[in-house]
Amino acid sequence: MIVHTPTEAENVAAVLARVAGRHFGGTATVDRLYRESGGASRQTWSFDAIVDGARHELILRRDPPTLGTPRAKAETDRSVSIDRATEFRVLRAAFQAGVRAPEVLFELTLDDDLGEGFVMRRIGGTAIARKLLRDPPYDSARKKIAHQLGDILARLHAVPAAGLPPLLRREAADHIAGQRRALDLLDRPQPVFELALSWLDRRKPAPTTQPVLVHGDYRTGNYLADKTGVTAILDWESAHLGDPIEDLGWLCVKSWRFGAVDKPAGGFGSREELWSAYESAGGLKVDPARAHWWEVFGTVRWGIICHNQAWRHLSGALKSMELASIGRRAVETEVDLLQLLKSDV
Amino acid sequence: MAQDRPTASELLAAIADFLREEAMPALDKTEPRLGFQMRVAVNSLAILEREARLGPAADAGEQARLAKLLGHEGTLENLNRELARQLRAGARDEGDAALMAHLDATIADKIAIANPKWK
């Protein structure tokens, strides 16, 4: 955990006042600034900018400059994730295409000396799965979320390529190779993940003829929802071009049901409900075998992410009991994989 | 020479109980962020308690099954490396009943330690 010294918050506040004034045209004061928990290497700050009596509710997404060294970048193992400048452009294209995503406003510049980052409008709602799945204010939202996630995802996959920044194209075979490389780097034998990756390799879908914008981390925990349901899709840093069904499979990985195991669509509904909403909103007709493939792949991916999170602690890159403990969650995906490989679709 | 009681498992359980029942509620009131971290710590201690109690038998069972499956003795680490290599090369797959029985037993033992409530 990084300690938030008052100096850091004061520094961020001073820069935000300056950049907000520049963007909105006036003298800005910053109010209610605080750093949201989570995301040690990628910070999220919530704040209000008051310019000429108008209050703008905003979010700063930022990579602190100290993390910009090649060594730190390698250690956080984010070779597949996009930088903040690319995220800004993906979000802008998605918002302009009508996807329920935060509206990005402006980027930080080098002279602002806060590292790479951008400011977007703050949207109401919570991302905390436990609350969404169990707390009374979300009773009626719970019935809608699976449908909404299918609907929003179809629009996300339809974002015109022309508006997007250059993104890596990653198909099934690239993903398999990437996970095998990750296992080799961890250097501990993992028979269940190896079995699952070979299973996936033998059945992998052909590369897409028309790759689309894939969110890459479309799951419960990564969107905001209020009592009306989903308000915004967050966490776009895994965006790439590829197979749209990847996002549908990832959303159904059992770990993202947060205990609501009988509701595969992120803990809120059936796969069929999700797919039907997706198809109604213009998405591809979903082939169940292809969706199953991506769900199995997603389960492997989350298991290996668990090991990588623990490795960030074990390698000394970021000392954290919380990260260390995630290593022991990988076996949950091994249980799920052994079940999935036995279920024929 | 064996240590006196409490055993590792008993001592870990005692620490986890104390932290859960006394330290955690106090922290939740005054320092919610630390309260969350304490929850993670208590959960990890519970894993260690189960590992101290169940780990040795689980490892011995895994090693014996691997030796039988692969047809020779070896350390747990080396046997698992050999199996992992075979699985990557596709020399065995999910159609191998002995392999699947071994993996089912191994993962059942692992989850019983890491998170027995997982389903």
Side-chain angles (χ1 to χ4, degrees):
Chain A
M1 287 285 112
I2 292 167
V3 177
H4 324 153
T5 61
T7 334
E8 187 189 22
E10 281 163 16
N11 178 37
V12 169
V15 175
L16 286 176
R18 196 169 73 234
V19 298
R22 187 171 73 208
H23 175 77
F24 291 107
T27 306
T29 53
V30 165
D31 189 26
R32 299 197 293 176
L33 171 72
Y34 69 92
R35 197 182 137 191
E36 303 205 345
S37 58
S41 54
R42 205 141 290 158
Q43 301 183 353
T44 302
W45 296 75
S46 174
F47 69 104
D48 294 352
I50 302 162
V51 189
D52 293 333
R55 184 178 283 270
H56 304 275
E57 297 185 332
L58 304 170
I59 292 283
L60 164 71
R61 291 266 289 159
R62 152 199 198 224
D63 295 353
T66 46
L67 289 165
T69 64
R71 181 179 160 77
K73 284 222 157 124
E75 276 169 351
T76 50
D77 182 37
R78 293 305 164 105
S79 55
V80 296
S81 64
I82 58 177
D83 58 26
R84 299 287 68 71
T86 308
E87 186 183 8
F88 179 86
R89 282 158 186 79
V90 171
L91 272 165
R92 189 172 57 191
F95 183 82
Q96 283 171 356
V99 177
R100 224 168 281 182
E103 181 186 4
V104 291
L105 297 179
F106 59 89
E107 299 176 85
L108 297 175
T109 67
L110 215 54
D111 292 340
D112 295 329
D113 204 24
L114 271 189
E116 253 196 287
F118 58 83
V119 169
M120 58 193 187
R121 287 200 196 279
R122 191 158 80 236
I123 294 177
T126 181
I128 300 173
R130 178 173 42 78
K131 291 188 180 174
L132 292 174
L133 283 163
R134 316 204 205 297
D135 289 359
Y138 307 105
D139 283 347
S140 68
R142 269 195 286 283
K143 299 185 190 81
K144 299 182 197 157
I145 288 178
H147 182 93
Q148 290 173 330
L149 289 173
D151 185 279
I152 295 169
L153 193 55
R155 293 167 208 280
L156 191 159
H157 292 156
V159 172
L164 291 170
L167 292 169
L168 280 183
R169 180 171 174 185
R170 300 172 67 230
E171 299 281 352
D174 308 314
H175 283 292
I176 292 172
Q179 297 304 334
R180 282 179 168 158
R181 264 197 311 278
L183 282 179
D184 290 342
L185 288 171
L186 289 163
D187 198 31
R188 285 260 296 170
Q190 295 287 353
V192 174
F193 293 124
E194 295 291 357
L195 173 71
L197 284 165
S198 291
W199 183 98
L200 287 161
D201 201 15
R202 286 195 300 278
R203 291 164 177 78
K204 62 180 176 291
T208 49
T209 47
Q210 286 196 306
V212 302
L213 171 66
V214 175
H215 179 280
D217 202 2
Y218 195 81
R219 64 164 175 94
T220 297
N222 284 348
Y223 53 80
L224 293 172
D226 62 15
K227 58 186 180 11
T228 69
V230 179
T231 54
I233 305 301
L234 306 176
D235 294 290
W236 292 69
E237 63 204 49
S238 302
H240 58 274
L241 300 177
D243 187 338
I245 309 305
E246 178 185 339
D247 281 330
L248 287 168
W250 180 243
L251 175 61
C252 293
V253 167
K254 207 210 275 169
S255 299
W256 311 139
R257 301 175 206 167
F258 296 92
V261 290
D262 57 338
K263 297 200 170 65
F268 295 99
S270 67
R271 292 183 186 84
E272 291 72 20
E273 199 180 344
L274 172 73
W275 298 345
S276 130
Y278 180 76
E279 290 166 5
S280 303
L284 274 185
K285 172 114 187 73
V286 180
D287 167 9
R290 196 172 182 116
H292 179 69
W293 191 95
W294 282 109
E295 189 175 323
V296 174
F297 175 77
T299 308
V300 172
R301 178 182 164 206
W302 170 236
I304 294 175
I305 290 173
C306 289
H307 284 304
N308 277 329
Q309 295 289 63
W311 184 246
R312 290 171 69 196
H313 166 83
L314 296 170
S315 67
L318 187 62
K319 284 285 172 196
S320 157
M321 173 188 67
E322 203 180 330
L323 286 177
S325 71
I326 294 175
R328 293 295 188 101
R329 291 203 56 193
V331 63
E332 295 168 4
T333 67
E334 295 187 277
V335 172
D336 298 345
L337 284 169
L338 289 176
Q339 285 171 4
L340 284 164
L341 297 193
K342 286 173 203 156
S343 68
D344 277 317
V345 174
Chain B
M1 196 169 84
Q3 295 294 328
D4 300 318
R5 287 186 71 180
T7 63
S9 160
E10 287 165 339
L11 193 49
L12 286 163
I15 299 168
D17 288 345
F18 157 71
L19 292 175
R20 186 188 305 108
E21 285 154 27
E22 299 188 44
M24 211 161 74
L27 272 180
D28 279 342
K29 280 192 202 118
T30 55
E31 284 271 1
R33 200 187 69 81
L34 287 179
F36 171 76
Q37 296 286 317
M38 183 60 85
R39 211 160 257 107
V40 175
V42 166
N43 191 43
S44 292
L45 282 170
I47 294 174
L48 292 179
E49 184 279 318
R50 292 188 293 268
E51 185 167 328
R53 192 156 38 86
L54 307 170
D59 285 356
E62 183 181 3
Q63 192 170 0
R65 283 191 307 274
L66 277 166
K68 194 162 170 230
L69 189 70
L70 297 171
H72 62 86
E73 300 293 325
T75 64
L76 188 51
E77 162 96 13
N78 285 339
L79 292 169
N80 265 319
R81 278 193 188 278
E82 183 177 338
L83 180 61
R85 268 197 307 275
Q86 290 183 1
L87 291 169
R88 178 156 324 178
R92 290 175 190 269
D93 63 28
E94 65 284 355
D96 180 337
L99 166 73
M100 296 310 279
H102 161 66
L103 294 178
D104 282 339
T106 303
I107 299 309
D109 284 350
K110 267 178 89 173
I111 199 75
I113 289 170
N115 184 1
K117 289 187 197 142
W118 186 256
K119 58 174 192 316

